[in-house]
């Protein structure tokens, strides 16, 4: 069972030592917090004031109990319950939105002008100013639109105003019913005739005028959404981007399907999988690393244009562009090639930029502009590597077309200090060497074409170049955004590729895929020639915004603070 606090020493405290924090399981701490909640309620029930209810030092319940601010809010919740007021009511007469009221009245009222128009709104309390018989509160809608509420003793009565001052905190969701007016300073306001707490916040908000630290952003994204407009905008723009992709696919008659996330054989990409176990079948399974092999089965079945926006899981490293759980779009088009699928990807990216930001030129977080418009550059992997090395690197086309040897490529890699894999072949060394020279240097949108056959087991061989497959990777601002192929549909060649991959796996390559006989049987039924593509949704947002992958994922996986 997880421990709330890890305590590795058991020494007596001295005057200069920090008191030891006791070990406590999650269940034990939860039970302790419930006991503290109950004790606070009993104090309120017996007539104690808020100040008398709170124990700042937590003498009774210890250092892992509620901090002072939370105790105060728990006590206010208890006061509401004791007074017969629901701190979390089921229904309130919300008839209008803050956004709608602003849109209707902004700029249309003179300072001090009042209307008889009644509205019922609700929002989160971000600011309170108590000014005797007239109190001001700022409410925020989910999108950050704000409006002022005015709570007057003359309008609601002394008792109601006293309750308002006593019970309402920053962070609470508050309901106001009242007339739309403009304050004497010209602030659009709702002059309340009724108020109610819609949801009592027990945890205080962070200081909204300060920049949130990265730890809060990633571990408590719900707080970041409240405090930071950029975080809210990322969530909304991600949704717009996905909607744009779907719209573009629909305009080209693609059909969206869903494929299994639990698979008996991992495949469709070179990646380390996560494993799990299904009790009902007593069967080990893999979390999906890519949907490719199932989407291709759709092509076999006659669905000629198919795509999926899918969750994938790869048990690999984590950095600014990699996450263990991520979202990807894959698409396959019968009778397409890596040329036609490249044009589709260009259209997908450009239309997404236009739909989300209104232009092919986007402004990144650092303030610089990036242009997705116009035609995109294309280079060859082998030609560009040969140019960088000053010698020709020849693809490995088999016995009849021997390419640059593994030994020579290894010597070049060692000379340049390029990291080498435990299980090596011609293709892997070529890609590592190419990445050494180019990977983080391709700033403008660039298609890198024609990859080694050894690293692309699901791709059709090039029409004129032995040892090369018809594959491209799209690079943007120094990282890979998307990949595209002319898809391999010859079941005999596919079995050869699978066998080579399986041998690599037996030799220790953890990224190599296994032999999928069911997929080979499907290819035997007949898959039409096709072009295919894959693009990370998270990376698309990185490209459009300049953010890290953690900032583009609404709820990123982070390592727990305690084990």
């Amino acid at each position: 069972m997880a421990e709330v606090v890890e305590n590795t020493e058991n020494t007596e405290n001295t005057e200069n030592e920090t008191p030891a924090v006791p070990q406590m399981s999650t269940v034990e701490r939860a039970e302790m917090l419930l006991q503290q909640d109950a004790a606070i309620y009993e104090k309120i029930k017996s007539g104690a004031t808020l100040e008398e209810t709170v124990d700042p030092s937590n003498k009774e319940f210890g250092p892992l109990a509620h901090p002072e601010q939370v105790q105060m809010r728990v006590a206010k919740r208890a006061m509401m319950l004791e007074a017969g007021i629901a701190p979390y009511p089921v229904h309130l007469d919300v008839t209008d939105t803050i956004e709608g009221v602003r849109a209707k009245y902004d700029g249309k009222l003179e300072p001090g002008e009042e209307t008889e128009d009644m509205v019922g709104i609700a929002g989160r309390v971000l600011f309170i100013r108590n000014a005797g018989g007239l109190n001001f509160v700022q409410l925020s809608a989910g999108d950050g639109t704000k409006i002022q509420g005015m709570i007057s003793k003359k309008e609601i009565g002394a008792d109601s105003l006293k309750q308002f001052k006593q019970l309402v905190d920053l962070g609470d969701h508050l309901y106001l019913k009242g007339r739309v007016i403009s304050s004497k300073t010209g602030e659009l306001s709702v002059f309340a005739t009724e108020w109610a707490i819609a949801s009592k916040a027990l945890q205080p908000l962070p200081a909204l005028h300060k920049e949130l630290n990265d730890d809060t952003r990633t571990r408590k994204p719900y707080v970041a959404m409240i405090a930071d407009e950029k975080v809210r905008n990322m969530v909304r723009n991600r949704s717009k981007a996905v909607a744009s992709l779907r719209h573009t696919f629909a305009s080209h008659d693609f059909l969206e399907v869903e494929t299994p996330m639990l698979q008996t054989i991992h495949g469709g990409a070179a990646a380390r999988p996560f494993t799990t176990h299904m009790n009902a079948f007593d069967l080990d399974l893999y979390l999906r690393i890519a949907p490719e092999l199932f989407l291709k089965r759709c092509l076999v079945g006659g669905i000629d244009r198919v795509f999926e926006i899918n969750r994938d899981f790869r048990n690999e490293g984590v950095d600014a562009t990699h996450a263990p759980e991520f979202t990807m779009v894959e698409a396959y088009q019968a009778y397409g090639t890596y040329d036609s699928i490249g044009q589709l990807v260009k259209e997908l990216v450009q239309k997404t930029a236009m739909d989300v930001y209104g232009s092919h030129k986007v402004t990144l977080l650092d303030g610089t502009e990036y242009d997705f418009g116009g035609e995109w550059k294309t280079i060859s992997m082998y030609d560009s590597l040969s140019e960088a090395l000053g010698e020709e690197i020849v693809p490995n086309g088999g016995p009849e077309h021997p390419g640059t040897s593994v030994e020579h490529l290894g010597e070049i890699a060692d000379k340049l200090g390029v990291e080498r894999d435990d299980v090596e072949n011609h293709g892997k060394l070529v890609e590592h060497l190419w990445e050494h020279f180019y990977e983080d240097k391709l700033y403008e949108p660039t298609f890198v074409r024609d990859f080694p056959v050894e690293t692309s087991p699901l791709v059709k061989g090039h029409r004129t170049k032995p040892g090369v497959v018809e594959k491209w990777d799209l690079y943007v601002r120094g990282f890979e955004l998307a990949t595209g192929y002319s898809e391999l549909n010859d079941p005999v060649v596919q079995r050869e590729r699978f066998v080579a991959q399986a041998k690599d796996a037996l030799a220790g390559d953890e990224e190599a895929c296994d032999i999928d006989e069911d997929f080979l049987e499907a290819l035997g039924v007949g898959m039409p020639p096709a072009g295919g593509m894959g693009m990370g949704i998270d990376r698309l947002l990185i490209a459009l915004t300049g953010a890290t992958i953690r900032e583009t994922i609404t709820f990123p996986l982070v390592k727990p603070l305690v084990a």
Side-chain angles (χ1 to χ4, degrees):
M1 182 170 293
E3 292 180 347
V4 175
V5 172
E6 191 173 301
N7 182 24
T8 57
E9 296 184 3
N10 185 21
T11 59
E12 293 185 5
N13 298 321
T14 66
E15 187 176 342
N16 296 324
E17 289 179 329
T18 302
V21 177
Q23 288 185 331
M24 188 174 284
S25 72
T26 52
V27 173
E28 289 170 338
R29 182 167 186 258
E31 289 180 333
M32 179 268 291
L33 293 175
L34 286 173
Q35 291 169 7
Q36 188 178 29
D37 293 341
I40 289 172
Y41 182 79
E42 288 302 318
K43 289 179 182 179
I44 291 295
K45 192 175 180 180
S46 66
T49 65
L50 288 172
E51 289 71 20
E52 293 169 341
T53 303
V54 173
D55 176 13
S57 63
N58 262 321
K59 291 179 182 178
E60 180 181 357
F61 292 95
L64 294 180
H66 291 311
E68 182 178 359
Q69 283 197 57
V70 175
Q71 290 181 56
M72 182 67 74
R73 290 165 180 253
V74 170
K76 292 181 180 183
R77 173 187 177 275
M79 290 181 71
M80 294 177 69
L81 291 171
E82 186 64 13
I85 303 170
Y88 307 98
V90 175
H91 174 73
L92 291 162
D93 190 23
V94 178
T95 57
D96 305 87
T97 64
I98 294 174
E99 304 96 305
V101 173
R102 276 239 168 253
K104 185 175 180 180
Y105 295 97
D106 251 345
K108 298 178 182 178
L109 300 179
E110 295 295 327
E113 183 178 350
E114 300 186 7
T115 77
E116 296 301 318
D117 300 342
M118 297 293 293
V119 296
I121 61 169
R124 188 183 292 275
V125 177
L126 297 186
F127 174 80
I128 300 174
R129 179 161 65 91
N130 294 325
L134 180 62
N135 287 257
F136 298 88
V137 60
Q138 185 186 68
L139 300 185
S140 175
D143 69 350
T145 305
K146 299 174 179 64
I147 197 166
Q148 179 172 269
M150 300 172 67
I151 318 293
S152 167
K153 176 181 176 181
K154 184 177 179 180
E155 187 72 30
I156 65 172
D159 290 342
S160 182
L161 182 62
K162 181 181 178 181
Q163 272 192 333
F164 178 87
K165 292 181 178 181
Q166 189 174 51
L167 297 178
V168 177
D169 290 304
L170 296 183
D172 290 351
H173 286 272
L174 188 69
Y175 164 77
L176 295 180
K177 181 178 181 181
R179 293 180 294 112
V180 178
I181 70 168
S182 177
S183 72
K184 291 181 181 179
T185 60
E187 183 69 31
L188 183 64
S189 307
V190 174
F191 195 75
T193 57
E194 298 178 26
W195 69 271
I197 291 179
S199 180
K200 183 64 190 170
L202 301 185
Q203 297 288 336
L205 293 178
L208 299 180
H209 61 280
K210 295 182 179 179
E211 191 79 13
L212 287 181
N213 59 47
D214 289 338
D215 195 58
T216 299
R217 287 177 184 277
T218 53
R219 296 185 184 279
K220 300 179 181 180
Y222 46 88
V223 172
M225 292 176 206
I226 297 168
D228 193 335
E229 182 181 15
K230 295 192 295 292
V231 176
R232 292 195 300 272
N233 287 342
M234 181 65 75
V235 177
R236 289 182 169 82
N237 289 338
R238 184 185 178 103
S239 179
K240 290 179 184 177
V242 171
S244 174
L245 294 173
R246 285 195 165 102
H247 183 267
T248 302
F249 278 121
S251 70
H252 288 282
D253 298 323
F254 279 77
L255 187 68
E256 184 173 9
V257 300
E258 295 176 337
T259 62
M261 295 175 70
L262 293 173
Q263 302 180 355
T264 55
I265 298 174
H266 70 91
R272 298 179 185 179
F274 287 93
T275 59
T276 186
H277 186 80
M278 181 180 176
N279 292 332
F281 291 173
D282 190 21
L283 182 66
D284 288 333
L285 296 169
Y286 300 99
L287 293 182
R288 174 174 60 197
I289 61 173
E292 177 170 344
L293 302 185
F294 286 93
L295 290 175
K296 286 181 174 179
R297 286 170 169 91
C298 291
L299 294 183
V300 173
I303 303 174
D304 285 346
R305 298 187 178 205
V306 61
F307 80 98
E308 182 179 14
I309 295 174
N310 57 90
R311 303 292 286 178
D312 292 309
F313 308 86
R314 298 184 183 180
N315 198 0
E316 300 174 334
V318 177
D319 57 31
T321 59
H322 292 84
E325 177 184 3
F326 60 97
T327 306
M328 182 165 62
V329 57
E330 284 203 15
Y332 296 86
Q333 178 180 349
Y335 303 102
T337 67
Y338 76 150
D339 297 308
S340 61
I341 214 75
Q343 289 301 310
L344 174 64
V345 168
K346 180 168 172 283
E347 181 181 347
L348 287 166
V349 174
Q350 290 182 337
K351 284 194 172 182
T352 299
M354 188 65 68
D355 289 344
V356 177
Y357 297 103
S359 172
H360 289 157
K361 287 186 178 180
V362 298
T363 302
L364 306 178
L365 290 179
D366 63 4
T368 60
E369 276 194 347
Y370 188 86
D371 191 358
F372 287 98
E375 292 302 315
W376 291 355
K377 186 177 177 181
T378 297
I379 64 174
S380 160
M381 173 165 281
Y382 277 92
D383 290 348
S384 59
L385 177 58
S386 298
E387 181 180 342
L389 289 173
E391 66 173 281
E392 185 179 11
I393 302 299
V394 181
N396 177 21
E400 297 180 1
H401 303 279
T404 304
S405 69
V406 172
E407 291 74 20
H408 183 56
L409 291 171
E411 291 171 0
I412 296 173
D414 291 340
K415 183 179 179 180
L416 294 172
V418 174
E419 184 178 349
R420 298 173 61 175
D421 293 332
D422 293 335
V423 180
E424 290 184 324
N425 54 43
H426 170 95
K428 283 191 173 186
L429 285 166
V430 166
E431 289 196 12
H432 287 326
L433 289 169
W434 182 90
E435 289 166 0
H436 171 77
F437 288 105
Y438 290 102
E439 183 176 35
D440 59 355
K441 298 176 180 63
L442 298 178
Y443 187 78
E444 63 180 296
T446 304
F447 288 109
V448 182
R449 290 166 61 98
D450 302 340
F451 279 62
V453 66
E454 293 93 342
T455 60
S456 306
L458 299 166
V459 188
K460 185 168 286 187
H462 197 279
R463 281 161 271 187
T464 61
K465 302 175 183 177
V468 172
V469 294
E470 294 197 350
K471 169 188 173 181
W472 53 254
D473 279 353
L474 171 62
Y475 279 82
V476 170
R477 292 181 36 245
F479 66 89
E480 180 192 335
L481 173 59
T483 187
Y485 319 94
S486 295
E487 299 297 339
L488 178 58
N489 60 340
D490 182 334
V492 175
V493 176
Q494 184 63 81
R495 181 172 274 108
E496 291 174 354
R497 302 270 188 89
F498 275 158
V499 168
Q501 284 278 301
K503 288 180 178 178
D504 285 346
L506 290 172
D509 187 347
E510 295 179 306
E511 294 187 349
C513 60
D514 204 347
I515 299 173
D516 190 335
E517 284 293 345
D518 183 76
F519 175 67
L520 291 170
E521 185 176 339
L523 283 188
V525 174
M527 187 184 99
M533 60 78 64
M535 178 169 62
I537 302 295
D538 317 301
R539 289 195 175 191
L540 177 58
L541 268 294
I542 293 172
L544 292 170
T545 65
T548 65
I549 195 167
R550 277 192 175 188
E551 292 169 319
T552 69
I553 297 175
T554 308
F555 295 98
L557 179 66
V558 292
K559 189 175 182 179
L561 290 174
V562 291

